[in-house]
Amino acid sequence: MLPREFPQRSVSPTEALAALHALGGRQVRYEDGRVLNSICTRPLPVAIEAFRRFAHTNLGDNRLFPAAVELEQAVVGMIADLVEWQGAVGNLVSGGTEANLLALWAAREQGRSPRAGRPEIAAGLGVHFSVEKAAALLGLELRRARLDGRGRTDIEDLEACINENTVALVATAGTSELGAVDDVEAVAELGRRHGIYVHVDAATGGFLIPFARGLGHRYPRFDLGVPGLCSITIDPHKYGLSVIPSGCVLFAHPRIQELVAWDSHYKGTQRHTTLLGTRPGGAAAATFAVLTTLGRPGFERLVAECFARRDLLVSELGQRGFTLVTSPELTIVGVRCADPDDVLRRLEEQGWFASVSRRLQALRIVVHRHTPPERLVEFVDALCGVQQGLVAVGGTA
Ligand code: 0PR
């Protein structure tokens, strides 16, 4: 147990670091290949080094750290280019939660009208819980539409959720639960028809889909050529291999971003368009380092590798008689189990970290670069062992 009183004596940096080193042993290491619940991974070494070099910089102060702010805007431009949102404006933020919050804040402001009634937003049931948090903070009612058999928002049901109070529709390009990709074009069309703001949450899919397309996979479009899209979330700290905290929000037009712009207290300091004031320049440097060292070929290799592993996992699961919730579009696999909580607990006792979808009551397995193919096969062996154990003790798994 670490001390919780304020230190009354000083220790050397070596001692402080030794204490941290000792703690490392109590955490799960991505490198062991047993983390199957996380969309995040160990950042590339170059990202960690870049973060270290810019650790003192603050994106909230453009006068002191113009280079960090330039790095931020370069990265925003690169990400906009990647998802074909050229000309969009945006910021690096703390993650998907802040990005979704900013987007829905802008939507609420844009949708303000003298109409009576509490403002509402509508999204599919697969929407990330960060949207629930944003709705709670912004005083928005969240209406949820059914999903189709593949975990995508049912567009007819989404339209049925729209009423005169609706200020935004949220489409997800890669749900955290199943990696499902909504028909964003259809959601944008609803937005246009009803005059409603459309936000795309590509926190998880943003760094997968553009490269997977390059490998021949097909997904719905969510580029700016789709009329009606207003903002998008894409997180470098997920499949972008950057450090935590690195999220990104883009707005289709500066006038939308203006809705969440605040004058600084100080003359000569930029207007803030993020929730946080003091923001890590280290994150901008780290993401810059990752995007430039990997480039499109590096990311395509990575995504090809993750997809090949996913296919291996799916085939191993199929051979052992497991049923999938649906065939995965990205790197998240849902597996039907009679008692997924028990399965999860038993797997965890053996050092495997998967997760359980609360809504689907299914085991959720995330494939990432830190889990090599042989580990995935071992994992399926462990899963079989656990299932057989449950049946042997009279369970119905
Ligand atoms: N939108 C989507 C589609 C997401 O998948 C997530 C996070 C967010 C928004 C929110 O992003 P931040 O967490 O960056 O604010 N998805 C992961 C999830 O809930 C977050 C995560 C990552 C959880 C690693 C655990 C973990 O080990 O599954």
Side-chain angles (χ1 to χ4, degrees), residues 38 40 95-97 100 128 130 174 176 201 203-204 235 237-238 364:
S38 177
C40 301
T97 303
N100 286 342
H128 190 259
S130 53
S176 0
D201 182 357
T204 293
D235 281 353
H237 69 201
K238 298 195 166 81
R364 166 185 174 264

Side-chain angles (χ1 to χ4, degrees), residues 32-243:
D32 293 340
R34 291 170 159 264
V35 174
L36 290 153
N37 72 323
S38 177
I39 288 165
C40 301
T41 188
R42 192 172 185 81
L44 285 193
V46 71
I48 297 172
E49 176 57 21
F51 190 94
R52 197 183 66 75
R53 292 190 191 187
F54 274 71
H56 61 289
T57 66
N58 172 13
L59 296 176
D61 192 332
N62 61 322
R63 289 165 60 232
L64 296 189
F65 305 110
V69 172
E70 189 178 337
L71 274 172
E72 177 194 18
Q73 289 308 313
V75 168
V76 164
M78 289 177 193
I79 294 175
D81 195 31
L82 173 67
V83 291
E84 297 175 66
W85 277 56
Q86 292 91 344
V89 292
N91 284 106
L92 295 185
V93 292
S94 52
T97 303
E98 188 186 347
N100 286 342
L101 176 67
L102 285 165
L104 293 173
W105 187 0
R108 189 191 68 179
E109 297 310 302
Q110 181 167 290
R112 262 192 199 290
S113 83
R115 290 181 306 220
R118 184 174 174 198
E120 297 185 6
I121 57 175
L125 274 164
V127 74
H128 190 259
F129 63 92
S130 53
V131 169
E132 292 175 34
K133 293 184 193 174
L137 267 170
L138 296 166
L140 304 166
E141 182 82 42
L142 170 59
R143 288 194 184 268
R144 284 173 239 232
R146 272 197 309 271
L147 303 182
D148 68 11
R150 300 205 58 187
R152 299 170 298 201
T153 302
D154 180 299
I155 300 298
E156 259 180 47
D157 206 42
L158 186 67
E159 182 160 26
C161 292
I162 297 175
N163 60 43
E164 71 278 10
N165 295 322
T166 314
V167 295
L169 303 175
V170 182
T172 306
T175 59
S176 0
E177 212 169 37
L178 285 176
V181 183
D182 280 342
D183 184 347
V184 184
E185 272 187 280
V187 178
E189 202 273 320
L190 281 186
R192 286 201 304 279
R193 197 141 42 80
H194 294 270
I196 301 171
Y197 186 108
V198 178
H199 173 62
V200 183
D201 182 357
T204 293
F207 271 98
L208 289 171
I209 295 167
F211 304 115
R213 281 199 186 111
L215 299 165
H217 298 272
R218 294 173 69 85
Y219 298 98
R221 281 179 60 188
F222 52 86
D223 56 271
L224 254 199
V226 177
L229 300 184
C230 301
S231 50
I232 186 166
T233 295
I234 309 134
D235 281 353
H237 69 201
K238 298 195 166 81
Y239 281 92
L241 312 188
S242 189
V243 297

